Amino acid sequence: MEPGILVVLVFGALLLLLALGVPVAFCLFGITIALAIFLRGPTFVSAPYMAVFGTFTKDIYLAIPLFILMAAILEFSGVVANLYEAAYRWSGPFRGGLAIGTLFVAAVLAAMSGIGATATVTLGVLAVPEMLKRGYNKSLVLGCVPAGGALGPIIPPSIVMIILGGLTGISIGRLFMGGLVPGLLILGLASVYIIVLSVLRPNTAPALPPEARATWPEKLSSLRYTIAPIALIVVVLGGIYTGVFTPTEAGAVGASGAFVCAAINKRMHWIPIRNAMRQATFSTAMVMWLLASGAAFATVMQISGLSFFIRDTLLDLTANPMVLVALM
């Protein structure tokens, strides 16, 4: 069969299965096995199996469950809620303060966990009702929470960067260093946008009324909840940047530090720890199945030569960049 026709059939089948609601990992695995048998018979199934085995045994991927566990412990132990409470007390008197405080808490969570889901879910529960109750524009409210969550894959430690480093062999420490400045730049630009918007349209993000503002003793009291999480960030990122920790060791330190934060927060109880472990297990399983299915699919595409056909086709399109951009 012509490579072009086979590529169309493969990706057509992938899009069809996704449209039918089949999980991504199962879509990739199903198409991989079918393609392997079609090309070289049942014995060729050993190729994707070896790709899966190689993915599951990569040392660098040990950091993934550790950082996910770290995020889950911080979420279920109430550390995130305390961080938002501190941001709420300090930023409330300023126009747009609650939205900016939400972004900064999301950035801190990204630097503690490596994923954006923790910030998006938790701040969606904590920050969205509070900002709506205070008269914030609904579009602004629903925009700043996922925008803050999107910092998770950018600000280190990032699960996406760990995956990318494992797939490409690029230094994960270098990836982390490369993501820090862009992440902080995005945070700063988003904050400036909120400030300008709140000045031009005061009703969009009003300041808290005087009677709703925290007193100075309350503000200072809220700072005690930020010491342990910020210290954890400094230890984890500082250890990676200085070479004291490998990313995997940093994940272990971070997960251990999350338990310490939970103990300081007096939430080292069975129920929150059980829920955190359960969520971490589910999330880790999902990520690893995606990695394994992607590795199996890529292996069969490479061995069959279809990946080279796709590469050559895309290179031919570079003669007309607008066609390539439209295709993407």
Side-chain angles (χ1 to χ4, degrees):
M1 183 180 293
E2 289 292 329
I5 297 175
L6 192 53
V7 167
V8 171
L9 289 176
V10 167
F11 285 96
L14 178 61
L15 293 175
L16 176 61
L17 291 174
L18 290 173
L20 293 174
V22 180
V24 176
F26 298 150
C27 290
L28 291 173
F29 268 129
I31 292 173
T32 298
I33 299 302
L35 182 60
I37 294 174
F38 174 77
L39 291 173
R40 300 190 185 179
T43 56
F44 190 47
V45 174
S46 61
Y49 164 76
M50 292 304 297
V52 172
F53 182 79
T55 299
F56 283 157
T57 54
K58 275 190 177 181
D59 292 341
I60 192 61
Y61 288 153
L62 287 173
I64 293 176
L66 293 171
F67 279 119
I68 290 177
L69 176 61
M70 177 180 171
I73 293 295
L74 293 172
E75 178 181 352
F76 284 95
S77 63
V79 172
V80 178
N82 289 338
L83 283 172
Y84 179 73
E85 179 63 24
Y88 171 82
R89 291 182 180 182
W90 282 90
S91 62
F94 307 101
R95 289 180 182 174
L98 296 182
I100 295 174
T102 299
L103 287 174
F104 272 84
V105 172
V108 172
L109 292 179
M112 288 193 297
S113 64
I115 54 178
T118 302
T120 304
V121 173
T122 308
L123 294 177
V125 174
L126 295 174
V128 170
E130 192 64 39
M131 284 190 283
L132 291 176
K133 184 173 69 175
R134 299 300 179 183
Y136 273 58
N137 179 270
K138 186 176 182 180
S139 297
L140 176 63
V141 171
L142 298 181
C144 71
V145 172
L151 295 171
I154 303 173
I155 294 180
S158 166
I159 299 298
V160 174
M161 291 181 183
I162 295 173
I163 294 172
L164 178 62
L167 291 174
T168 62
I170 301 174
S171 167
I172 294 177
R174 284 179 170 273
L175 288 172
F176 283 176
M177 294 176 69
L180 182 61
V181 173
L184 295 178
L185 181 62
I186 293 171
L187 175 63
L189 290 175
S191 300
V192 170
Y193 171 80
I194 293 173
I195 292 172
V196 172
L197 183 67
S198 61
V199 170
L200 296 178
R201 301 177 183 176
N203 293 331
T204 301
L208 290 180
E211 64 274 10
R213 299 174 186 176
T215 62
W216 275 104
E218 291 173 335
K219 290 180 179 180
L220 296 175
S221 175
S222 67
L223 291 179
R224 70 179 187 273
Y225 297 119
T226 67
I227 297 174
I230 292 176
L232 182 59
I233 294 172
V234 172
V235 170
V236 171
L237 295 185
I240 293 174
Y241 291 147
T242 58
V244 177
F245 306 141
T246 65
T248 302
E249 292 167 345
V253 171
S256 303
F259 280 104
V260 173
C261 290
I264 294 174
N265 210 31
K266 298 180 181 180
R267 291 293 298 273
M268 279 289 286
H269 306 306
W270 166 242
I271 293 178
I273 298 301
R274 181 196 63 187
N275 292 338
M277 298 292 281
R278 177 183 297 170
Q279 177 173 304
T281 301
F282 288 163
S283 299
T284 301
M286 178 187 67
V287 171
M288 294 309 296
W289 273 111
L290 287 171
L291 279 173
S293 60
F297 182 74
T299 297
V300 173
M301 292 290 284
Q302 288 176 352
I303 294 176
S304 65
L306 294 180
S307 62
F308 302 108
F309 172 81
I310 296 171
R311 180 199 64 190
D312 294 339
T313 302
L314 292 176
L315 287 174
D316 291 339
L317 291 175
T318 56
N320 190 338
M322 293 310 300
V323 174
L324 184 60
V325 172
L327 181 62
M328 289 179 178

